[in-house]
């Protein structure tokens, strides 16, 4: 079976890491890299024989370009235009912006949405890192409040993400609520300018616990969640740091192990690792089904 | 409306008693306290009263501390109490959202002040746009300003002025700066944004809150933050009645009636807190370590939990360059101290 052809829209930190990940995968190939403006990055890719464009996704599709998958690594506003155009095609949209337009997917929680929705949202780095733990613990503990505090190194936030600071906070918070079913969620995004850059880390709390659990049981739940996430983010580590009967707090850290990323950029690794999981599943569904899976 | 002082005034005093002061009571001020103090400050001619959780809108949380009452209740209460004074609120992007900007507008806030890190001002551009579109005046204050050089602050000031902020200032969040360091920073900022007002927010960890505020004024600041009895995080802020008195000695007009303000200050002393901030050993050390004063309570708890000295924790946090909102680093710092000691 032929490899899926992928368009990467946005040649920033996220887009370029996706590019490297796709090259490592035999079932997926880079169909085109679409950047905002000409520059060394795109020139280098072109020199290496990749199709590049600085004309934007919409123009390329209008001119007849075809892709099986579109990775949107631009910004929340641009995503709305991109989706409006991709919607009528056969391509799967995988949204890496915090637009909250598509169906939010966190692989360990609801990857079964792949094949049902034409637009899969990867939520955000903080969503990908916190929701697996929150989902597992909320089902057991029945809390009425969850809170996530994320610290991200400023150098792992590109200009697109910086423009979307509010969308990042609001959509992460909303998807935490949506996927855990806990009525009140609070998400705090801390960007650290410290040098050396700190690792991507989160403090994840569940409060108003209705069904308390022992330390041992919580540790086992968190460990099994951690192992599942490590399938696509090997540097993922979670451990319970507090369990007082009312509040349970878990520390989450994600180190990047990809050779193309600095270790602190675990935020990029977990989101892009999850996005690749989505595409791999999509590909296996395509193979089993007809030309493309049910939309 | 803009950031400059009203006509005939040299200095605009920003009263942060009901916002930064919340740090001194773990964000537990109730509506009656807020109403009574805001009304007293208003009667004294205080031009701007800032109200909210110590870390601003949307900050009530397990991580930073839950407020007794909601942002909406605090703002609406203060709004009812103010007749002449403007109502201000504080918002740090990442903690607060556009939803909080909408809330501020609904509650009649006049001035929204964005708290941003001096090297990360581009994160706030979309917030400035949102605030201006909402019809509010937008100011920016750069936190932990001792971590940035005068040059760096000047460049960030120019950017913030370009976004549309009418006043741009610095907070000496750790209470670390000396008067000449404040002066050179403020002067560079004033040169970088000649059309914006420049503001300064002191913390008293090294006993320099009033002196630093005066240095800021001499260097071109026209907005100075202060609070009743210095009520604020850590060792507290510049004491409003003292700044007012010193300004009077210097012949600078603040528009505040000192006699009437002393009534507000007495009310704050009697009704807002049991003990006022002072430069205790912990506050002194946090200032010297260059760490945000608001960490004090959590550091004391961690020192207790880990059986280590709070002073050592502060120095470790200083080495880790911890900034406000990173309270989850405190146990880690305590753990490192314990490891080094054993």
């Amino acid at each position: 079976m032929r490899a899926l052809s992928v368009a990467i829209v946005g040649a920033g930190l996220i887009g370029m890491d996706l590019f490297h990940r796709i090259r490592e995968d035999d079932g997926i190939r880079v169909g085109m890299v679409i950047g905002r403006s000409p520059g060394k990055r795109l020139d280098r890719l072109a020199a290496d024989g990749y199709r590049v464009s600085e004309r934007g996704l919409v123009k390329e599709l209008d001119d007849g370009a075809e892709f099986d998958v579109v990775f949107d690594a631009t910004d929340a506003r641009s995503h709305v235009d991109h989706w409006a155009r991709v919607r009528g095609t056969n391509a799967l949209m995988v949204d890496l912006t915090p637009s909250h337009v598509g169906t939010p997917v966190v692989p360990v929680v609801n990857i079964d949405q792949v094949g049902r929705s034409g637009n899969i949202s990867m939520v955000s780095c903080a969503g990908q890192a916190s929701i697996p733990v929150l989902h597992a613990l909320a089902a057991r503990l029945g809390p009425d409040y969850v809170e996530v505090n994320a610290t991200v190194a400023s150098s792992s936030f590109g200009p697109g993400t910086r423009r979307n600071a509010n969308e990042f906070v609001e959509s992460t918070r909303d998807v935490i609520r949506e996927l855990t079913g806990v009525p009140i969620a609070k998400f705090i995004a801390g960007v650290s300018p410290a040098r050396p850059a700190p690792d991507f880390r989160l403090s994840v709390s569940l409060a108003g616990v209705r069904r308390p659990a022992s330390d041992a049981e919580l540790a086992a739940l968190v460990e099994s969640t951690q192992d599942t996430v490590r399938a696509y983010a090997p540097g993922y580590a979670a451990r319970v740091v507090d369990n007082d009967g009312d509040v349970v707090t878990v520390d989450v850290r994600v180190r990047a192990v990809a050779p193309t990323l600095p270790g602190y950029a675990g935020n990029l690794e977990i989101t892009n690792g999850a996005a690749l999981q989505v595409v791999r599943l999509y590909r296996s569904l395509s193979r089993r089904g007809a030309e493309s899976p049910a939309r | 409306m803009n950031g400059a002082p009203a006509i005939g005034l040299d200095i605009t005093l920003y009263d942060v008693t009901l916002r930064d002061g919340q740090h001194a009571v773990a964000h537990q001020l109730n509506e009656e306290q807020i109403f009574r103090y805001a009304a007293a400050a208003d009667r004294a001619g205080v031009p701007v009263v800032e109200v909210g959780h110590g870390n601003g809108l949307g900050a009530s949380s397990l991580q930073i501390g839950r407020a007794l009452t909601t942002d909406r209740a605090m703002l609406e209460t203060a709004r009812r109490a103010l007749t002449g004074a403007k109502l201000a609120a504080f918002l740090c992007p990442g903690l607060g959202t556009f939803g909080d900007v909408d809330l501020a507008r609904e509650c009649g806030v006049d001035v929204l002040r964005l708290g941003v890190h001096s090297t990360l001002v581009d994160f706030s551009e979309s917030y400035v746009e949102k605030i201006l579109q909402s019809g509010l005046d937008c100011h920016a204050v750069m936190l932990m300003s001792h971590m940035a050089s005068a040059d760096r602050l000047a460049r960030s000031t120019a950017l913030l002025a370009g976004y549309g902020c009418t006043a741009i200032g610095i907070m000496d969040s750790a209470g670390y700066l000396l008067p000449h360091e404040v002066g050179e920073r403020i002067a560079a900022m004033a040169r970088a944004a000649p059309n914006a007002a420049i503001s300064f927010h002191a913390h008293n960890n090294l006993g320099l809150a009033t002196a630093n505020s005066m240095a800021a004024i001499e260097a071109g600041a026209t907005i100075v933050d202060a609070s009743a009895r210095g009520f604020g995080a850590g060792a507290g802020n510049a004491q409003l009645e003292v700044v007012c008195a010193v300004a009077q000695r210097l012949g600078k007009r603040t528009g505040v009636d000192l006699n009437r303000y002393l009534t507000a200050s007495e009310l704050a002393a009697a009704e807002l807190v049991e003990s006022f901030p002072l430069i205790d050993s912990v506050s002194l050390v946090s200032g010297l370590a260059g760490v945000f004063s608001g960490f004090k309570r959590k550091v004391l708890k961690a020192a207790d939990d880990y059986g280590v000295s709070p002073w050592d924790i502060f120095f470790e946090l200083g080495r880790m360059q911890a900034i406000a909102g990173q309270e989850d680093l405190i146990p880690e710092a305590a753990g490192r101290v314990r490891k080094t000691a054993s």
Side-chain angles (χ1 to χ4, degrees), chain A residues 77 144-145 147 149 151 154 157-159 161-167 169-170 173 186-196 198 201-203 205-207 247 251 253, chain B residues 57-64 66 93-100 117 119-127 129 147 319-329 332:
Chain A
R77 266 183 224 175
D144 57 24
Y145 176 82
E147 181 175 309
N149 292 272
T151 298
S154 56
F157 261 157
T161 313
R162 291 175 186 227
R163 271 193 303 279
N164 285 161
N166 176 69
E167 288 83 351
V169 175
E170 289 190 331
R173 176 198 65 202
K186 172 83 188 155
F187 172 59
I188 297 175
V191 180
S192 172
R195 292 283 177 277
R201 67 162 205 282
L202 306 95
S203 172
S205 295
L206 304 94
V247 180
D251 265 5
R253 266 166 210 267
Chain B
L57 298 177
S60 181
S61 57
L62 295 168
Q63 167 94 341
I64 301 172
R66 282 175 157 172
L95 272 178
T97 63
F98 287 6
D100 296 309
H117 198 279
T119 57
L120 303 174
V121 295
D122 52 348
F123 280 89
S124 63
E125 184 175 6
S126 60
Y127 281 79
E129 200 177 297
M147 291 166 101
R319 274 189 287 273
M320 294 163 82
Q321 302 172 56
I323 56 177
Q326 295 183 330
E327 279 78 349
D328 56 321
L329 279 180
E332 184 178 329

Side-chain angles (χ1 to χ4, degrees), chain A residues 42-228:
Chain A
L42 289 187
D43 290 347
R44 261 201 309 271
L45 294 176
D48 288 346
Y50 290 95
R51 283 170 72 202
V52 300
S53 165
E54 56 216 40
R55 302 189 312 145
L57 174 68
V58 173
K59 276 217 182 71
E60 290 297 340
L61 291 174
D62 287 348
D63 285 357
E66 285 185 24
F67 307 105
D68 301 305
V69 176
V70 174
F71 277 133
D72 193 343
T74 58
D75 60 75
R77 266 183 224 175
S78 306
H79 176 71
V80 174
D81 300 334
H82 291 156
W83 173 230
R85 180 62 183 81
V86 169
R87 197 171 199 154
T89 73
N90 278 321
L92 172 71
M93 172 63 91
V94 179
D95 179 18
L96 292 118
T97 79
S99 76
H100 202 184
V101 169
T103 306
V105 167
V106 175
V108 303
V109 175
N110 67 339
I111 198 155
D112 56 331
Q113 290 300 317
V114 175
R116 294 184 196 161
S117 168
N119 186 350
I120 301 292
S121 160
M122 300 318 299
V123 193
S124 68
C125 55
Q128 290 295 339
S130 64
I131 291 171
V133 167
L134 283 172
H135 184 261
L137 293 187
R140 171 63 185 81
L141 298 167
D144 57 24
Y145 176 82
V146 293
E147 181 175 309
V148 175
N149 292 272
T151 298
V152 193
S154 56
S155 44
S156 66
F157 261 157
T161 313
R162 291 175 186 227
R163 271 193 303 279
N164 285 161
N166 176 69
E167 288 83 351
F168 172 58
V169 175
E170 289 190 331
S171 59
T172 302
R173 176 198 65 202
D174 293 348
V175 175
I176 288 172
R177 205 160 41 204
E178 210 173 307
L179 294 189
T180 62
V182 178
I184 307 174
K186 172 83 188 155
F187 172 59
I188 297 175
V191 180
S192 172
R195 292 283 177 277
D199 286 352
F200 176 47
R201 67 162 205 282
L202 306 95
S203 172
V204 174
S205 295
L206 304 94
V209 165
R210 283 197 301 272
R211 299 183 294 274
S214 70
D215 290 354
E217 190 190 345
L218 292 180
L221 261 176
V222 167
E223 195 181 337
S224 95
T225 306
Q226 168 188 283
D227 293 345
T228 322

Side-chain angles (χ1 to χ4, degrees), chain B residues 61-85:
Chain B
S61 57
L62 295 168
Q63 167 94 341
I64 301 172
R66 282 175 157 172
L68 178 71
T69 177
T70 62
D71 289 340
R72 178 182 288 279
M74 288 189 260
L75 294 175
E76 287 181 346
T77 301
R79 181 74 278 170
R80 280 198 303 277
L82 301 179
T83 56

Side-chain angles (χ1 to χ4, degrees), chain A residues 201 239 251 253, chain B residues 291 295-320 322 326-342:
Chain A
R201 67 162 205 282
R239 69 187 176 96
D251 265 5
R253 266 166 210 267
Chain B
V291 176
F295 282 2
K296 179 173 165 181
R297 281 164 184 272
K298 296 222 170 188
V299 167
L300 290 177
K301 182 177 181 305
D304 214 36
D305 292 348
Y306 285 75
V308 297
S309 148
W311 310 346
D312 291 339
I313 299 178
F314 269 116
F315 283 114
E316 186 59 36
L317 287 167
R319 274 189 287 273
M320 294 163 82
Q326 295 183 330
E327 279 78 349
D328 56 321
L329 279 180
I330 295 169
E332 184 178 329
R336 286 192 194 191
V337 171
R338 188 166 62 185
K339 207 181 252 176
T340 318
S342 61

